[in-house]
Amino acid sequence: MGLTNLIKVIYAPGEVFQEEWQKTNFWLSGIIIAVLNGFAAWLSMPVMLETMKKMLIDKIPPEQLTVALQGAKISGLIGAGITPFLIWLLIGLVLSLYSQFAGVEGKMGLYLKIAVLSWIPILLGNIIRNGLVYYMKPENYLDVKTSFLLLLPGEVKMDFIHIFMSKLDFFTLWGIVLLGYGYGKAFNTDTKKSIAFWLILFLLISIISAFFGGQSLQKMA
Amino acid sequence: MKKKILAIVVIVLFIGGVAGLNVVKIKKNPGVSVKTTKVVEGDIVKYAFAEGTIEPKTTENIYVYTPGTVKEVLVKPGQKVKAGQVVLRLDDAELKNQLKEAENQVELLEVQLSDAKKAEKLPGINQTSTKSLKVQLKSARDRVEMLKEKIRKTQLKTKLSGVVLAVNVEAGQTANPGVPVIVVGDLSGFKVKGRVNQFDAALISPGQKFTAQAEGLEREYTGIIETVEPQAVKTVSAQGEEIKVGFSGKITGDITGLKPGYKVDLKIEAGRKNGVLTLPFETIVERDTKKYVFIVLGDKVKLQEVKLGLSDDLKAQVLSGVKKGDLVVVNPPAELKDGDKVKVK
């Protein structure tokens, strides 16, 4: 069952990826995740729109501000529903590419199922983050963090270390580990090597994006 | 089974930890972190900037009166001259010949007139010839005087004591009226002429002080604006068309090192307010054409409208809205609003 596997992958991923993952219905699981992701986005929407309003109120005319807020609301909800599918497709393609290098044969449908199952921690993170925003109603919705930034003392700065830390989201890391673990289990390859590969890849991407992100933010400042 | 329960416990603890840390951090939030500065008394000096050219205090352009060949140039550029000194001679040989002829003509007419006067006493002699000779004699005498004057004017003299700035002809060349053959300048003082753009033109007026800086000279020179032209002119440069207004001023202090023709950068003191309340521009926010600052009151900010006066590049005079010693936010974040809690860095 798709739904059972979505929950079971949280506490018993080994069983799911070893035995039951092929039973997972990609579309049903995908739609459930997309809906939950949209719900999470809806929870934080008022605070997100309020923060955006404060940032733009002096910069654009009121009519444009109304349009911008309405646009942000609609695109935020639609994006929350559609983005996971695009990311799964991307992960599926990367897994396919990785398999070719590793000499493993697999079908795209299976890669997509691994991508969906390993997305569960990220969905959990989204729900928790947006739930906290909904519950705490902070001045800025970005004040709620689920990354290593949460462990850094002092203020958030736009330098390399802070941007890099913000990329290291606990739930994303969990998802990456699950992706590597799931791939290893599903195709009977070394899970440790697989996890290490995906983690190193993720860290490299995070370092590069933090470096260039920090530079562009400093230029903007 | 135990493994599953352990996994669930770990996950619940992890999620609880993340949520708990967020709750603690957000509740502890001391407010928006801001930098502040105090409203202080200071001087505001508004400057206008222009480029100018150094010119002598007085200049004399020496011209020839009639076209003629230059016989002799008696001065060189840079040479000091005194008022009344002959600086150039034109060839006067032709004029002297004409003078000789004219003088001979006068003598001849005088003799003829004398004879005519004796003859007119005889009966039957017409008096008309005497009158005619008198007219001719006067005309001849006038011509002599005119030629003498022309000869006198072949010697060009300077009316100004100073330095020869330019010699535009050489011996043997033809000099024509309308083009100065020699330029003499009084270098005991300098003036500066320049143009300012339309924006700065609104700021400058006679009596304002300026400092001038010439390329290659270490020191600054001081001066005063004397005139601002009443009409603007359109100039075309690499930057496109510009509207400029001419002005002139005099260098009032030490002029050591300056030379006519030097380009100078002028910094004109277009306005000054001493001992007024000032605010750096980084503290001022504009909303609906009005100017505001965020005043820090305790741990909160108050959005306060301010009226501004004279400003320089960095700060503005405050006419109303704040008082000396008020703490105001520097570079207020875009999301900062009236009544927000802040933490001063």
Side-chain angles (χ1 to χ4, degrees), chain B residues 45 75 100 131 154 174-175 232 260 268 299 326 330:
Chain B
V45 186
V75 290
K100 189 73 185 167
K131 283 181 185 174
T154 58
T174 303
I268 304 160
D299 63 348
D326 276 350
V330 179

Side-chain angles (χ1 to χ4, degrees), chain A residues 139-153:
Chain A
E139 281 285 309
N140 187 336
Y141 75 106
L142 295 173
D143 288 342
V144 174
K145 301 173 193 85
T146 54
S147 66
F148 273 90
L149 214 51
L150 188 63
L151 305 177
L152 282 186

Side-chain angles (χ1 to χ4, degrees), chain B residues 271-286:
Chain B
R272 174 182 278 275
K273 294 278 180 186
N274 291 334
V276 293
L277 289 182
T278 64
L279 275 174
F281 281 123
E282 295 96 323
T283 61
I284 298 160
V285 288
E286 193 169 338

